[in-house]
Amino acid sequence: MPNGQCEQRHAKEQQRMADIKKRIANHPCFCAKAHGKYARIHLPVAPACNVQCNYCNRKYDCSNESRPGVTSRVITPQQALERVKLVQEKLPTLSVVGIAGPGDGLANPDATLRTFELIREHDPNLKLCLSTNGLMLPRYAADLVRLGVEHLTVTMNAIDPAISASIYKWVALDGKRYYGEEGASLLLERQLEGIGRTVELEGIVKVNTVLIPEINGTHILEVSKKIRELGVFIHNIVPLICKPEHGTYFGEIGLREPDTAELDQAREAGTAVMGSFSRVMKHCKQCRADAVGLLGQDLELNFQEVGQ
Ligand code: CLF
Ligand code: SF4
């Protein structure tokens, strides 16, 4: 590429980063500096899921963003709106409304989109945030951005279907289940397409990757490289949580969790690829699908009056 074009491209990317940094300034997950100051609420409106991760037990919340062992009661979009209004009265630092399960938001598109629509009409200043496995993102990226869902998380554990095939038992699309590498390739293809489309539409994307030392331990760097190329803003590498009592496939076969040194090492390597400290998340609390409050300091609120 000629020098002039290269400089132009670099300047455009710098401008994009500066713009993203402004937009994430009060998002406690996307911006490390914001996490002690701003709170989020998760609305558990999405019970179903369209993939089966081997570290997940469907009795619990989506393990892509939560620790197994806690469950959320599902609520309707209207109840979700009432919950947000109630929390806003008690928590003036509330800046983000997210949907993170207990299944996958986009496997429950009607409830998820309706909830975002109601919250957007109620208060245009609240940031809207969705966490998804990405399978249905190509179909809904435009709807999400149109509704003002500017913050999107896609859980992507590998960019090689031969590796992902050990992580996902099946992937279901339009009424059909796909297994092994076929399912893994389908998921990967759609994750890449969905992320690309969201970035194109100026959504801000985070990728979560579950560090499973015996499966993707040496591969995560490749995920960082790929997502940086796609324009993803931040990489969140979280540890596999896997105990026999969680009733997951990985728990049953005794797959080990990473130790702190392995997690630190993966995050450091990711930082080198992503280009700066602020582009690898290190403060994730793997919170549950109905969490409310500052990260790591969840409030115990009684929601009886707004539909348990
Ligand atoms: Fe929720 Fe996720 Fe939005 Fe944050 S959580 S949907 S991006 S508002 Fe945050 Fe919780 Fe970690 Fe998720 S600490 S599990 S990264
Ligand atoms: Fe479980 Fe989430 Fe995976 Fe679905 S995407 S199987 S809810 S961890």
Side-chain angles (χ1 to χ4, degrees):
M1 189 185 294
N3 266 352
Q5 268 184 29
C6 188
E7 275 166 24
Q8 261 181 6
R9 206 168 137 176
H10 182 68
K12 212 170 149 195
E13 182 59 9
Q14 298 274 78
Q15 185 52 48
R16 189 177 82 93
M17 281 301 136
D19 174 55
I20 289 178
K21 282 183 184 161
K22 271 191 217 148
R23 289 160 66 201
I24 61 167
N26 62 347
H27 193 303
C29 305
F30 282 67
C31 175
K33 285 186 194 149
H35 92 270
K37 296 186 207 149
Y38 295 99
R40 50 79 183 100
I41 179 171
H42 283 171
L43 300 171
V45 296
C49 193
N50 44 14
V51 308
Q52 179 61 64
C53 304
N54 284 329
Y55 48 72
C56 175
N57 178 343
R58 293 295 181 67
K59 274 196 296 192
Y60 306 132
D61 285 358
C62 173
S63 315
N64 287 332
E65 286 237 330
S66 89
R67 56 195 183 277
V70 285
T71 55
S72 305
R73 237 180 259 194
V74 175
I75 56 174
T76 65
Q78 195 58 45
Q79 287 169 335
L81 173 65
E82 296 312 315
R83 191 175 279 197
V84 168
K85 288 181 182 168
L86 185 83
V87 169
Q88 275 185 308
E89 280 170 25
K90 298 176 195 279
L91 195 64
T93 54
L94 184 74
S95 65
V96 176
V97 174
I99 296 179
D104 187 82
L106 298 181
N108 305 260
D110 294 346
T112 295
L113 296 177
R114 181 65 185 142
T115 303
F116 283 137
E117 192 173 47
L118 288 173
I119 306 298
R120 179 48 73 239
E121 281 166 11
H122 159 65
D123 186 345
N125 293 318
L126 286 169
K127 290 193 174 301
L128 303 180
C129 192
L130 174 73
S131 171
T132 173
N133 58 41
L135 182 67
M136 298 309 286
L137 192 53
R139 201 168 291 174
Y140 296 108
D143 289 322
L144 290 165
V145 173
R146 179 180 48 79
L147 286 171
V149 184
E150 286 188 44
H151 297 80
L152 259 128
T153 295
V154 178
T155 297
M156 195 189 240
N157 294 318
I159 53 153
D160 177 350
I163 295 175
S164 316
S166 312
I167 302 175
Y168 301 96
K169 185 173 176 199
W170 51 256
V171 170
L173 182 65
D174 295 332
K176 191 174 168 206
R177 277 190 187 182
Y178 301 84
Y179 296 84
E181 279 196 40
E182 192 188 10
S185 298
L186 179 69
L187 179 62
L188 177 63
E189 224 171 79
R190 294 178 65 86
Q191 287 172 328
L192 297 175
E193 186 187 338
I195 291 173
R197 200 167 294 178
T198 307
V199 170
E200 227 174 75
L201 293 166
E202 298 184 4
I204 307 172
V205 182
K206 167 161 78 62
V207 162
N208 281 8
T209 302
V210 181
L211 172 58
I212 311 165
E214 292 170 47
I215 296 182
N216 65 1
T218 55
H219 175 71
I220 287 193
L221 206 54
E222 301 309 314
V223 179
S224 295
K225 287 181 192 162
K226 184 71 193 171
I227 64 174
R228 185 185 163 141
E229 193 185 300
L230 286 172
V232 167
F233 175 67
I234 186 165
H235 197 182
N236 180 21
I237 300 167
V238 293
L240 171 72
I241 300 177
C242 182
K243 302 272 185 290
E245 63 270 25
H246 295 151
T248 65
Y249 173 68
F250 282 168
E252 278 163 21
I253 64 169
L255 217 58
R256 73 174 179 88
E257 299 172 349
D259 59 30
T260 314
E262 283 171 315
L263 184 61
D264 289 348
Q265 203 177 23
R267 287 173 171 169
E268 258 170 51
T271 306
V273 172
M274 294 301 288
S276 82
F277 180 74
S278 60
R279 293 186 63 185
V280 173
M281 184 175 181
K282 300 176 181 81
H283 61 283
C284 177
K285 302 294 179 221
Q286 291 174 282
C287 36
R288 50 187 286 174
D290 60 358
V292 187
L294 297 174
L295 301 189
Q297 297 174 42
D298 288 321
L299 301 180
E300 295 290 333
L301 294 178
N302 179 358
F303 289 120
Q304 252 162 9
E305 66 270 45
V306 284
Q308 278 273 9

